[in-house]
Amino acid sequence: DRQSVSLLLCLCNLSVHTAMPATRRSPARERPSPSPQRRRSGVAKSSAAAPKQAAPSKLSLVDHVLLPLLLMVTTPTFCHITAWLTAQPEPTLSTLAAAAAAGPAALAADVLASTMPDAKAAVLLTAFSGLALLIYAIPGPVKFGPISDRGARPAYADNAMWHCVLFPLVFVLGAAAGLYPLSVLYDHFGATVGLLNFGGLAFCALLYAKGLSRLGLRPSGPDAGSSGKGLLFDYYWGTELYPQLGGVDVKRFVNCRISMTYWMLAGVSFAAASHSRHGRLDPGLVLCAASQFVYLVKFFYWEIGYMRSIDIITDRAGFYETWGCLVWVPSIYTLHTRSMVQLPSGLSWPAAGAIFAVGLLGVAFNFEADLQRQRFRETGGAALVWGRKPIAIEAEYHVTDPKSGKLARHTSLLLVSGWWGVARHAQYLFELTAAWSWGLLAGVGTHGALPLFYAAFLTVLLVHRAIRDEEKCSLKYGAAYAKYKAMVPYKIVPYVF
């Protein structure tokens, strides 16, 4: 499908150009030769090096104006179109092509009508956010994120598992009590997407003003201000790294407690909607929803680890990151399950079970990789990995002290054992295994390529994220990260890439 391919290329190209400036290490300088330190346990120290400074990028009409503008126009439109398409009796790309050929104006009118915000969607989102806020206030042990380039260190109450248990429980009990049907998320999906879209665009404008100390608002920390690339790019990229509103961390609340929670419950709600329409359970939809639910339980167990990931510590809260979580995640991450409500997958229980088993293995290995790194960090490298003392590299880095304005020296440990000794981003391989299994569970024979869009998008996203992460780590850790790359020569797929 040309629209899907064009969007993927746009996302990839735009992300490459708009990532925070970093010095890319030439692949020709990498020497992935075996190291004796890989065969013995312990911590290898890397000689300190002067901190590298990223060269400021110049304003580019293409990178900082045209591409962000294109993305901010096409992605909201795409979300509205997919919301309309998955409400059709046959949600396939052929249906979309036929409607467009019959009359683009009529199609646009139908799409807008099906995604127009209404009062019921407003009540749904208000109740959804209100419950999330109540659970957010539950106290928990304080965990910290990495120190930012300007010396800020975010703190988080570790209460994600309370949210993971209580929110789905309240959602199901409310349906059982007759307050709403369990299919409520599907029943009001179009209006919800419309409201999230318009509300998300306005919310990003508020965050833009906050990061620039406008409208009587002030940034929540030192990592704020204009990028120097113009209003449009600042709105797209964001003007603050760790914004808070009323003591609520915006990134954590939007990314985890809204978007990931919606995704978690969507499969349950869509399965209920399918059952009410067809009078039976669809194997593909039920097992896809179950696999995603398990994956997202894993996510909330690992939420503090996510708050230390590149999504949080590098990307500012703007259209790219915040609108993406508010609108793109509920719209696109649920596309494959949503497409099965009107048109069942057509899979038998054994066929769906086989695909489900492969996807579940991907979820399990993804969880193990994330857990290895999280325990390694929290124990200062003392936790065993695969029953052995882990191999680690001690890396030195520098950040600006917000009080003195001087560079302060810090050290960190790079894990070279377990899955992190197999590939530098092995967790992405397992996440992609799960994602492709979810698309296949929708039944390619009945739905065509549409349910595979999320998996294709995620492949582009994670490959590029791995590149961005390595640029950031090379800039931050210098020789220590070059040593890690020599010891673990593969990015994602061992012996392939």
Side-chain angles (χ1 to χ4, degrees):
D1 175 66
R2 293 182 178 178
Q3 287 183 329
S4 299
V5 172
S6 299
L7 179 62
L8 285 168
L9 291 175
C10 174
L11 289 168
C12 183
N13 191 24
L14 181 60
S15 298
V16 169
H17 289 295
T18 57
M20 295 302 285
T23 301
R24 179 174 295 186
R25 185 176 296 276
S26 171
R29 297 186 182 180
E30 296 184 8
R31 296 182 179 178
S33 56
S35 170
Q37 293 190 25
R38 190 169 181 175
R39 296 190 292 270
R40 67 173 187 268
S41 61
V43 176
K45 292 188 177 181
S46 178
S47 57
K52 298 178 182 179
Q53 299 295 327
S57 59
K58 296 180 180 179
L59 177 64
S60 165
L61 176 63
V62 174
D63 298 343
H64 302 133
V65 178
L66 297 181
L67 284 174
L69 182 61
L70 178 63
L71 190 60
M72 288 189 287
V73 170
T74 57
T75 50
T77 303
F78 189 73
C79 290
H80 282 256
I81 290 173
T82 57
W84 167 84
L85 181 59
T86 50
Q88 304 308 302
E90 290 191 9
T92 64
L93 294 175
S94 298
T95 298
L96 176 60
L107 173 61
D110 288 345
V111 169
L112 286 175
S114 67
T115 55
M116 188 62 63
D118 60 23
K120 291 182 179 179
V123 171
L124 173 61
L125 288 178
T126 300
F128 198 98
S129 303
L131 178 58
L133 277 173
L134 287 175
I135 301 175
Y136 186 92
I138 295 176
V142 177
K143 301 291 180 67
F144 295 93
I147 302 173
S148 72
D149 291 341
R150 297 185 184 179
R153 192 177 190 188
Y156 309 101
D158 190 5
N159 59 7
M161 289 309 295
W162 281 107
H163 178 91
C164 180
V165 172
L166 291 177
F167 205 109
L169 182 62
V170 171
F171 178 72
V172 172
L173 289 178
L179 298 179
Y180 44 80
L182 194 58
S183 60
V184 62
L185 298 185
Y186 182 84
D187 297 340
H188 302 286
F189 185 80
T192 300
V193 167
L195 186 56
L196 282 173
N197 186 28
F198 298 130
L201 294 173
F203 185 59
C204 289
L206 177 70
L207 295 177
Y208 165 84
K210 182 177 182 298
L212 298 179
S213 300
R214 296 178 182 174
L215 301 179
L217 301 170
R218 293 290 182 270
S220 305
D223 299 276
S226 173
S227 65
K229 300 178 179 68
L231 183 153
L232 187 69
F233 185 79
D234 281 345
Y235 176 83
Y236 163 79
W237 183 250
T239 56
E240 190 171 4
L241 186 61
Y242 293 119
Q244 293 188 4
L245 291 171
V248 175
D249 184 279
V250 170
K251 281 186 174 180
R252 188 186 194 191
F253 189 75
V254 169
N255 298 23
C256 306
R257 306 306 173 88
I258 298 296
S259 71
M260 290 299 170
T261 307
Y262 190 97
W263 184 20
M264 184 183 204
L265 299 179
V268 177
S269 185
F270 297 169
S274 172
H275 184 268
S276 68
R277 282 162 174 77
H278 305 290
R280 60 183 179 85
L281 294 175
D282 178 7
L285 177 49
V286 169
L287 292 181
C288 184
S291 180
Q292 289 180 158
F293 195 93
V294 172
Y295 172 81
L296 288 158
V297 169
K298 186 267 328 178
F299 172 84
F300 283 111
Y301 183 85
W302 175 75
E303 187 191 66
I304 294 299
Y306 171 71
M307 300 309 296
R308 296 165 177 163
S309 71
I310 190 171
D311 287 0
I312 303 300
I313 66 177
T314 298
D315 299 340
R316 290 189 170 193
F319 176 91
Y320 174 85
E321 202 263 356
T322 302
W323 180 93
C325 287
L326 274 176
V327 189
W328 186 259
V329 169
S331 298
I332 305 306
Y333 286 37
T334 68
L335 180 58
H336 38 282
T337 47
R338 205 168 70 247
S339 68
M340 288 184 273
V341 175
Q342 295 289 348
L343 180 63
S345 66
L347 297 178
S348 66
W349 282 103
I355 300 172
F356 170 76
V358 173
L360 208 59
L361 281 176
V363 173
F365 288 142
N366 176 262
F367 174 72
E368 184 185 23
D370 286 336
L371 192 61
Q372 284 177 353
R373 182 171 59 178
Q374 183 170 336
R375 288 179 174 173
F376 173 79
R377 287 173 172 175
E378 291 179 347
T379 62
L384 298 180
V385 177
W386 287 349
R388 298 180 180 180
K389 185 178 179 181
I391 303 170
I393 298 173
E394 185 177 281
E396 179 180 307
Y397 65 99
H398 299 77
V399 297
T400 303
D401 188 310
K403 296 182 179 179
S404 66
K406 298 180 180 179
L407 287 176
R409 176 184 175 277
H410 297 270
T411 58
S412 184
L413 294 177
L414 306 180
L415 177 61
V416 197
S417 295
W419 290 116
W420 303 93
V422 175
R424 300 193 295 272
H425 304 277
Q427 82 277 25
Y428 291 166
L429 173 62
F430 306 134
E431 189 163 350
L432 289 173
T433 300
W436 283 99
S437 77
W438 300 335
L440 292 174
L441 280 169
V444 176
T446 52
H447 292 77
L450 181 66
L452 300 178
F453 179 84
Y454 163 70
F457 161 77
L458 191 68
T459 301
V460 174
L461 179 71
L462 292 185
V463 168
H464 183 251
R465 183 184 293 173
I467 295 171
R468 290 178 57 207
D469 192 29
E470 299 209 344
E471 289 177 343
K472 178 178 174 61
C473 289
S474 293
L475 184 68
K476 182 176 181 179
Y477 298 124
Y481 198 74
K483 187 174 187 178
Y484 174 55
K485 290 198 290 185
M487 295 174 71
V488 187
Y490 302 104
K491 279 187 174 71
I492 298 176
V493 184
Y495 305 104
V496 177
F497 173 72

